Amino acid sequence: MAEVAVELKNIRKVFPGVVALDNMSIQLRRGEVHGLIGENGAGKSTLIKTLTGVHRPDEGEIYLDGNKVVFRQPSDARHLGISCVYQELNIIKELSITDNLFLGNFVKNKSGLLDYSYMNQKAREIMASMEQDVDPTELCGNQGMGQQQMVEIGRSILLESQIIILDEPTSSLGEKEAAELFRTVNILKAKGIAILFVSHKLEEIFELCDVVTVMRDGKHIITKPSAEMTKDELITHMVGRTLTNLFPKIETTPGEVALEARDLTRAGEYYHMSFQARRGEILGFAGLVGAGRTELMRGIFAADLPDQGDILIDSKKVNMRDPRGAIAHKIALLTEDRKLQGLVLQESIEKNLTLVNLRSLTKGVFVDKKRIRRQACDTVDKLKIRTPSVDKAAGELSGGNQQKVVIGKWINTDADIYIFDEPTRGIDVGAKVEVYKVMNDLIQNNKCVIMISSELPEILGMCDRVIVMREGEKMAEIERGGAHFNQEDIMKAAWGGKL
């Protein structure tokens, strides 16, 4: 068995109203990819922050190479060879790859000037060690998301980290970028680095990880070789119950057309897009990263106006100039980036849940605080948002619970057309089922639901029709139950093949 690089033993961490870690223990071994999985709110983020010195445990011990250590601040963990690549990348896009790699650790020459000759060469070597052939003087902002993530990992290599934590690393990556990341992880593993791989995607756990640990309610549930686990067993350990149907699709009869797009075009983003979305159905949009799906929906929501084309709601042409106009026409857009565009992180759950429909919660010129509190509490109960209070800041919630707040905010507007952009990104399997049930409730109430997703099982599991896009163009429209309603044909269309 490989040598233990780091061990967390009987760790307990308590925040006001929440026991985040409860007697939690885990070992990471050199040359091993250790998967960590659990529902949102299970304590994974707190464990990561404890391991990286952001939080100090209230009880328990941390051992590094068998020696007890105490992290008083994040720099202590970094100096001892522990680093983390977070889901939200810590990249400065206006700086070069070299600058981002050496940020905080710049090298100077004998004259006291920054030694870019050395740093560029070192940057090239580090990226090459991950089989990345790049020009280190290029701006990070010109690179794709996958390349930026490689720069983050390269920073860990520069620091000579022996323990690397990857927190939901594929949440913003396409299929090719994810495959590239997996290759890099295996390169690091072969060098004897211990890797903690945190993911909600069960397929990734089984494909990449040697061992998997399941957490629930801050506790250690099980650690076992992934080869000895099944998907159903893993889910049962995660949620404490059996989920018989990951995609609880219901059968409905689509009604009248709620939204129609005619020849929508925005130069550089999407071209001549036409489609209809009906009440009582879920219309899916599939495609590779950069296909233009998000940009198209932002155009429909009037966040970025199309250059040409028409939008019809209930068969009537509308002219929306900004998102307020879209909201007035009962359109809701749940953006893919919940932290930057979906929430006001420093504000309370209550304020976030009532942000869009605040006007309806007033008495004359005064805000009806009792109605606001009642609606917020009802939404928390309905969506099973884990929080001790609606007064808690949204930024303090786990990713899945943040996503539920975003969903709740828009459901409270009682819109007719709901656009879900990557609604289950970064949330656990149990929370995903709850999101799907919300969609089912909407279409049962004669609402129209449009879903963008990069997860084909989700598209196939929940959608009545699928529109496939590539480089801003519509490649195919596929009906549920049709001959092409399968993963292979959707991917073929996404790559530009004819069906």
Side-chain angles (χ1 to χ4, degrees), residues 30-314:
R30 298 190 183 281
E32 186 175 83
V33 182
H34 194 126
L36 180 64
I37 197 164
E39 289 191 277
N40 290 108
K44 302 185 300 297
S45 295
T46 304
L47 184 144
I48 290 171
K49 290 176 180 177
T50 300
L51 187 53
T52 55
V54 177
H55 294 325
R56 292 188 65 180
D58 300 317
E59 298 176 17
E61 299 165 333
I62 302 174
Y63 292 89
L64 196 65
D65 293 326
N67 301 310
K68 184 178 176 180
V69 294
V70 176
F71 301 143
R72 291 181 172 80
Q73 54 195 4
S75 59
D76 293 344
R78 286 198 301 271
H79 291 152
L80 290 173
I82 301 174
S83 63
C84 181
V85 178
Y86 289 99
Q87 185 176 352
E88 286 80 26
L89 297 180
N90 186 25
I91 289 290
I92 300 177
K93 295 182 179 181
E94 295 78 14
L95 296 181
S96 69
I97 292 173
T98 295
D99 287 330
N100 274 279
L101 280 172
F102 281 87
L103 205 60
N105 295 284
F106 288 113
V107 177
K108 295 182 179 180
N109 57 27
K110 293 179 180 179
S111 303
L113 301 175
L114 293 180
D115 192 345
Y116 272 105
S117 176
Y118 168 81
M119 290 191 293
N120 284 334
Q121 179 58 34
K122 186 69 175 177
R124 198 182 303 276
E125 291 172 3
I126 288 172
M127 299 302 288
S129 74
M130 298 184 291
E131 300 183 2
Q132 300 295 307
D133 183 16
V134 298
D135 179 357
T137 65
E138 278 281 330
L139 295 183
C140 262
N142 294 338
Q143 312 302 310
M145 188 66 73
Q147 197 76 64
Q148 291 178 23
Q149 199 165 53
M150 294 301 173
V151 173
E152 283 259 37
I153 296 172
R155 191 182 294 154
S156 299
I157 295 173
L158 178 66
L159 294 172
E160 298 182 348
S161 299
Q162 293 303 301
I163 299 147
I164 298 178
I165 304 164
L166 299 175
D167 182 18
E168 295 288 348
T170 65
S171 61
S172 299
L173 302 185
E175 188 175 348
K176 286 182 67 176
E177 293 172 313
E180 193 170 298
L181 172 68
F182 284 13
R183 187 175 69 247
T184 299
V185 169
N186 284 319
I187 291 171
L188 298 174
K189 170 185 169 181
K191 293 180 178 179
I193 292 173
I195 297 166
L196 181 64
F197 187 87
V198 185
S199 178
H200 286 303
K201 299 179 180 179
L202 303 186
E203 296 80 6
E204 294 180 350
I205 294 293
F206 286 108
E207 180 178 348
L208 188 64
C209 299
D210 304 294
V211 176
V212 58
T213 288
V214 179
M215 292 181 67
R216 187 170 73 243
D217 298 328
K219 298 182 178 69
H220 174 272
I221 301 301
I222 190 173
T223 296
K224 198 172 180 180
S226 56
E228 298 176 14
M229 297 272 274
T230 66
K231 183 182 289 188
D232 289 343
E233 183 183 358
L234 202 56
I235 291 171
T236 300
H237 285 309
M238 282 175 58
V239 302
R241 63 191 188 279
T242 302
L243 292 179
T244 55
N245 189 357
L246 292 179
F247 302 105
K249 177 64 182 163
I250 59 171
E251 297 301 323
T252 61
T253 301
E256 62 275 13
V257 175
L259 171 73
E260 182 176 0
R262 292 181 180 172
D263 198 36
L264 290 184
T265 296
R266 181 177 167 92
E269 295 182 354
Y270 51 87
Y271 305 92
H272 309 294
M273 286 298 303
S274 297
F275 67 90
Q276 294 180 334
R278 300 179 179 276
R279 294 180 181 274
E281 76 166 353
I282 300 176
L283 172 63
F285 274 76
L288 304 174
V289 172
R293 298 166 298 167
T294 293
E295 292 79 4
L296 174 63
M297 294 307 153
R298 285 179 60 83
I300 289 171
F301 194 65
D304 300 309
L305 295 177
D307 299 328
Q308 70 177 54
D310 296 321
I311 296 172
L312 291 80
I313 296 176
D314 294 329

